[in-house]
Amino acid sequence: MAASWPFIGRATQLAKIRSAAEGVVVAGPAGTGKSRLVAQAVHGLDGVAWARATAAAAEVPLGAFAPLLPATPPAGNPLGWAAAALRAPVLVVDDAHLLDPASAALVHHLVTRGGTRVIATLRSRTPVPDAVLALWKDDLVPRLELEPFSPEETEALLGAALGSRVEAATVARLWRASQGNALYLHELVLSGILTEDGDVWRWRGPLTITPTLRETIAGRIGELTAREREALELLAYGEPLGADLLAVLGSLDAVQHLEDRQLVTVQPDGRRLQVRLAHPLYGEVIRDGCGVLRARTMMRRLAQAVTEAGLRRREDVLRVAVWRLDSGLPGDPGLLLAGCERARIVRDLELAVRLGRAAVAAGGGTPALAALATVLSYSDRYAEADDVFATAWEADMTETARTDLGVQWALNLAVGLGDVARARAVLEETTRLARGVGARQGILIMRAVLAVLTGDIAAAEELLARTRELGPLNPHGERMIGGADAAVLLARGRAAESLARVAEARARLVKQPDAMRSLAATLTGTAANAALLLGDLDGAERLADEGFDLGGQFGSWTRAILEFGTVKARVLRLRGRLADALAWARDTTGRLPACSALAGSYLGELAHAYALLGDVAAAEEALARVEATGRPIGPSAVIPLRFAQVWTMAGRGDAAGAVALCLEIAGSALPCDEPFALHDVVRLGRPDLVSARLAALDVDSPLVALFARHAAARDGAELDAVSEGFARLGLLLYAAEAAAQAAARHREAGLWRGARAAETRAWQLSQRCQGARTLALMDLDVPGLTPRQREIAVLAAQGLTNREIAERLVVSIRTVANTLYAVYDKTGVNDRAALAAILNR
């Protein structure tokens, strides 16, 4: 990794500096790259002089310009002498806010005199000399504000610096830690927190502070009084802290001084004022400089003050639990358990596990065991969670606690370990022990969810009907049954009704959005897939992003990141952005735990993207990983694998086998998946096999209606219209394939103008699909081949002999030879190597 990072982005700002004939003032926070930007702007110009202001140089008149001036000033007018001595056509003044009054006056004089183009940098929100302030205040030169890097700019910079892609979640975490500060970002990467996994960089392990970063931030913090240091230490261990609490701790006066120095921020939060450190890394450096005893003292003071104030805010119980635990105070099982629950809610799962273990060790009993088992399951430690669940199950507990434990254990068994039989057995035992109506209803809903997961929709509907027959549901039951109803409606292909049910269920979550984050994720996932079935890619992508954020600022809820990263990849694949889809799928599967019953969903999407890009070997490798990762259960895990197998077979040249597999999938798929299976047959060139079935589907969706129209199209004009319909929905790969098929139909009909127009459209659309390689698009490389000719051409290009091709396709060797002769005649080549070059195989 290079010590100096490449200069990227900032194109607009670069152009503004270069076009500012009289000069410009570039302002921004420390570390935003002001000096680097200006250096890039003046690179290659003749006669550039640099003056670098420092606090030390400000003690001497014209100190910043000393390297540019003669050693001895003459008597008389030093300003005129200095201006005359500076003959450079371009003068860069770095850190102009540190200029002494004489140097500031010189800069102002050079600008007003003309003849010298002055480019100055300064730190924003910092006092500057009056003469420098006048530069933009009096409209002498423009002022350009340079903001920290955005998340997108951070991603581009990291990719350029590291030479390969950085995982999306890692980019987000680095951006939060650096706040877009280029200098801090650079040092974070140099600290070694990133590891390269294949050609993707990921954050691994705890954040570490390099000596350079420590010194840089210490320099930014500067000299502190004892009271200021104490206030910063309290914030480092406790932020955000209320101003009233800091007043109790005797630090409010110091905080006011720190706010003036921009080391802390004070923001209204309801009726309170919340104080935070001005940058996340300040806390890291301050904690790094505290000894063990000092740190414990700070945390004990915080715990005592917040406890005495009454633990009035939701976060207080978690913070006090952590402060007491880290400061070595005796463990309070109730407090530790409450902290564990709060950490689970905010999805800081590593902390939740730590607090759960501490609660068990402190004598928290069965409630602590149940809490620990649950957070272990959320953390994807399914086998360990299973052991703790089993231990907790043997203890006495209330009916409500027993029901909650049984439901969570069943989820761990099904979703984590893929053991549906044991999950059902646990639910049956939980039902046997339950007496109250609310408990029995909760178990029935969970059994319905398990039925949906395994694809038994009729059983799910029957279980939900039984739930309602038991009587009115309590508020928790109403929320849970809404999510189950929405999932059933989606499985039945009733996407619009599913979305409506999601909206109703979400409305019930308004009062408890955090406490029911798992249900919120379930509803968001159902809504995203319903939007996909309707062809609403924008809505699906928005929901995927929303769900991805549920992974939490700590990034430890891997299950949400896996699910919604996969949904995002699917949306991008349908948009035709195959390279982007592959990147998201790779990021997602890079987080797969050692065991997951839903691994097929994630790896299936990865394999699908590889196959559509023509990398069949990588697709097959991804499919093989499923065997080592888990045993897929139910349609949500199995169907994505089978769709990937279809396109992997097609990529190998086995179009007939791919079509047969599609028909097999459609024969057993749920109504929500059947349209995609049937439409893949159309994309593979056999609409005659599925046209009637697509037309007869009872699925209310504009997208499915377009699938049926695609299958029924019999001429080029109708396929042109289908292509336009897919393009309007944003499904560019489908649009490109339909246009390529239209070109072939036009050619068959002798409509050469229509063929050329459709072929041009197909080519243009395919160029936006980031390297898509499907059978329909192959006609763009080799126009005029029939489906059978394309099939044999692909196999021959892969190096198969005529006999091997004949055996695979169950045709005679003579048929293969005659077909290849026709292919060679159309393509103008005479051997397999040349054919492979044309087909880009």
Side-chain angles (χ1 to χ4, degrees):
M1 185 190 311
S4 178
W5 281 17
F7 181 90
I8 66 165
R10 306 290 203 195
T12 301
Q13 296 89 338
L14 200 60
K16 287 181 178 179
I17 296 172
R18 286 174 171 167
S19 63
E22 301 302 321
V24 63
V25 172
V26 181
T32 49
K34 301 181 292 295
S35 301
R36 181 75 184 278
L37 174 64
V38 170
Q40 192 72 19
V42 301
H43 179 70
L45 297 181
D46 293 328
V48 179
W50 282 76
R52 291 179 169 85
T54 64
E59 299 294 326
V60 181
L62 298 175
F65 290 94
L68 304 176
L69 299 174
T72 305
N77 180 5
L79 188 62
W81 162 77
L86 287 171
R87 295 296 183 183
V90 179
L91 173 65
V92 177
V93 183
D94 206 13
D95 287 336
H97 56 285
L98 296 176
L99 289 174
D100 63 273
S103 295
L106 174 59
V107 171
H108 186 274
H109 177 70
L110 291 171
V111 172
T112 55
R113 183 194 67 178
T116 300
R117 183 179 169 207
V118 176
I119 302 173
T121 74
L122 55 84
R123 185 177 298 169
S124 56
R125 298 182 61 194
T126 299
V128 297
D130 290 343
V132 174
L133 175 64
L135 294 180
W136 68 88
K137 184 179 178 182
D138 296 343
D139 293 325
L140 299 176
V141 297
R143 172 171 166 145
L144 173 64
E145 287 292 336
L146 191 63
E147 299 295 332
F149 282 121
S150 68
E152 293 75 21
E153 290 170 326
T154 298
E155 180 177 16
L157 176 59
L158 287 168
L162 296 170
S164 56
R165 199 170 51 79
V166 182
E167 177 195 37
T170 294
V171 172
R173 192 172 176 187
L174 283 168
W175 183 84
R176 282 195 299 269
S178 68
Q179 293 292 291
N181 184 300
L183 175 60
Y184 295 169
L185 181 67
H186 186 205
E187 290 301 320
L188 285 172
V189 172
L190 288 179
S191 73
I193 56 175
L194 303 186
T195 58
E196 194 169 15
D197 181 8
D199 61 352
V200 178
W201 290 90
R202 306 182 194 278
W203 184 310
R204 296 282 192 249
L207 187 151
T208 55
I209 302 295
T210 65
T212 301
L213 184 56
R214 183 185 301 108
E215 292 165 6
T216 300
I217 291 178
R220 170 68 186 94
I221 292 173
E223 294 295 325
L224 298 169
T225 67
R227 301 303 297 276
E228 288 172 341
R229 177 166 296 281
E230 178 182 83
L232 288 178
E233 288 170 349
L234 288 168
L235 286 165
Y237 287 102
E239 69 173 333
L241 295 176
D244 53 349
L245 180 67
L246 286 164
V248 170
L249 291 166
S251 299
L252 192 56
D253 289 343
V255 167
Q256 291 174 358
H257 296 145
L258 293 169
E259 184 183 19
D260 292 340
R261 295 174 58 183
Q262 301 174 40
L263 295 176
V264 303
T265 63
V266 182
Q267 298 292 334
D269 181 14
R271 291 180 294 178
R272 303 179 69 188
L273 291 176
Q274 292 282 55
V275 185
R276 296 178 183 271
L277 295 170
H279 196 283
L281 290 179
Y282 291 178
E284 295 289 341
V285 171
I286 292 164
R287 288 190 295 272
D288 191 55
C290 281
V292 173
L293 294 178
R294 180 73 175 172
R296 287 190 169 195
T297 298
M298 290 296 127
M299 289 186 283
R300 288 180 181 184
R301 288 182 63 193
L302 287 165
Q304 180 179 355
V306 173
T307 301
E308 290 176 352
L311 302 176
R312 291 174 294 184
R313 298 172 72 86
R314 288 180 303 176
E315 297 80 9
D316 287 348
V317 66
L318 173 58
R319 297 199 296 168
V320 171
V322 174
W323 289 330
R324 288 180 59 88
L325 182 63
D326 288 346
S327 66
L329 289 171
D332 177 342
L335 180 64
L336 291 166
L337 190 55
C340 173
E341 172 65 11
R342 188 62 197 166
R344 180 188 66 80
I345 288 172
V346 300
R347 291 306 190 259
D348 188 347
L349 296 177
E350 290 301 317
L351 179 57
V353 169
R354 184 168 165 244
L355 289 169
R357 294 193 196 281
V360 171
T366 303
L369 284 170
L372 176 59
T374 300
V375 294
L376 284 169
S377 180
Y378 275 109
S379 302
D380 307 311
R381 305 176 197 182
Y382 302 115
E384 186 180 357
D386 186 40
D387 291 339
V388 181
F389 274 122
T391 301
W393 188 259
E394 298 303 319
D396 292 331
M397 63 189 77
T398 65
E399 181 176 82
T400 299
R402 176 78 63 186
T403 301
D404 290 344
L405 187 68
V407 165
Q408 292 296 333
W409 194 5
L411 272 174
N412 184 74
L413 288 165
V415 175
L417 299 176
D419 195 338
V420 176
R422 277 187 68 204
R424 286 176 173 150
V426 166
L427 289 176
E428 288 173 5
E429 178 66 7
T430 308
T431 302
R432 186 182 67 79
L433 296 172
R435 295 291 180 265
V437 171
R440 296 178 71 84
Q441 286 175 319
I443 299 164
L444 284 171
I445 294 170
M446 184 60 229
R447 289 175 61 188
V449 170
L450 188 58
V452 172
L453 186 64
T454 56
D456 192 347
I457 306 305
E461 291 170 329
E462 189 269 332
L463 287 163
L464 293 177
R466 284 173 54 191
T467 302
R468 291 185 167 92
E469 289 169 0
L470 290 177
L473 286 102
N474 59 33
H476 179 72
E478 285 286 359
R479 289 190 289 266
M480 295 302 296
I481 204 168
D485 283 340
V488 168
L489 288 167
L490 173 61
R492 287 294 188 199
R494 293 153 62 183
E497 293 176 64
S498 177
L499 284 173
R501 194 70 176 98
V502 166
E504 293 173 10
R506 279 184 153 189
R508 296 179 184 275
L509 288 180
V510 171
K511 294 182 179 179
Q512 288 184 296
D514 287 343
M516 304 204 67
R517 189 167 291 200
S518 294
L519 178 57
T522 297
L523 291 169
T524 302
T526 299
N529 284 302
L532 283 174
L533 182 57
L534 291 170
D536 179 9
L537 298 189
D538 290 341
E541 187 162 10
R542 175 182 55 78
L543 288 161
D545 291 337
E546 181 182 315
F548 193 82
D549 289 341
L550 289 171
Q553 62 173 314
F554 307 99
S556 59
W557 194 18
T558 303
R559 198 178 305 170
I561 293 173
L562 285 168
E563 177 181 352
F564 292 103
T566 298
V567 174
K568 177 88 169 186
R570 187 182 179 196
V571 172
L572 292 170
R573 169 170 58 80
L574 290 172
R575 286 194 188 280
R577 291 167 52 187
L578 297 185
D580 294 337
L582 178 61
W584 271 88
R586 291 182 64 194
D587 284 357
T588 295
T589 54
R591 288 174 167 261
L592 266 176
C595 176
S596 172
L598 299 179
S601 173
Y602 320 132
L603 290 168
E605 191 58 48
L606 175 66
H608 201 147
Y610 271 128
L612 291 179
L613 286 166
D615 193 344
V616 175
E620 290 175 339
E621 182 180 345
L623 291 171
R625 282 179 60 190
V626 178
E627 295 296 325
T629 308
R631 37 185 176 179
I633 61 167
S636 61
V638 174
I639 291 296
L641 286 174
R642 305 199 77 194
F643 279 137
Q645 288 167 346
V646 165
W647 290 99
T648 302
M649 293 174 72
R652 283 293 187 201
D654 188 2
V659 167
L661 181 54
C662 280
L663 295 173
E664 181 184 323
I665 295 169
S668 59
L670 296 174
C672 60
D673 294 318
E674 186 180 4
F676 292 95
L678 294 174
H679 184 245
D680 277 0
V681 176
V682 182
R683 295 171 61 204
L684 289 164
R686 293 301 308 273
D688 54 301
L689 298 177
V690 296
S691 178
R693 289 177 63 179
L694 273 168
L697 287 180
D698 184 20
V699 178
D700 184 14
S701 159
L703 178 59
V704 175
L706 194 55
F707 285 173
R709 186 179 179 187
H710 190 185
R714 292 294 179 264
D715 58 46
E718 182 62 18
L719 285 167
D720 285 332
V722 168
S723 174
E724 291 169 2
F726 282 133
R728 281 193 295 272
L729 290 175
L731 291 103
L732 298 190
L733 178 57
Y734 291 177
E737 290 175 331
Q741 292 170 340
R745 293 289 176 84
H746 283 306
R747 282 195 299 269
E748 291 169 5
L751 302 173
W752 304 112
R753 179 176 295 178
R756 284 193 297 272
E759 192 171 302
T760 298
R761 174 182 172 80
W763 184 86
Q764 290 173 333
L765 288 166
S766 71
Q767 295 307 295
R768 298 167 62 186
C769 292
Q770 300 179 333
R773 300 291 304 161
T774 67
L775 289 178
L777 297 182
M778 191 185 302
D779 209 35
L780 300 179
D781 297 320
V782 190
L785 295 184
T786 67
R788 174 61 86 183
Q789 288 171 340
R790 283 199 300 270
E791 188 173 32
I792 290 177
V794 169
L795 295 173
Q798 292 175 1
L800 273 68
T801 65
N802 287 6
R803 179 178 296 280
E804 289 169 336
I805 295 172
E807 291 173 351
R808 176 174 294 193
L809 300 181
V810 195
V811 296
S812 69
I813 297 175
R814 180 180 295 276
T815 297
V816 173
N818 290 339
T819 303
L820 273 178
Y821 179 81
V823 168
Y824 290 151
D825 183 55
K826 286 185 177 182
T827 59
V829 301
N830 56 14
D831 60 36
R832 283 167 162 77
L835 187 60
I838 291 176
L839 297 177
N840 292 325
R841 297 283 163 176

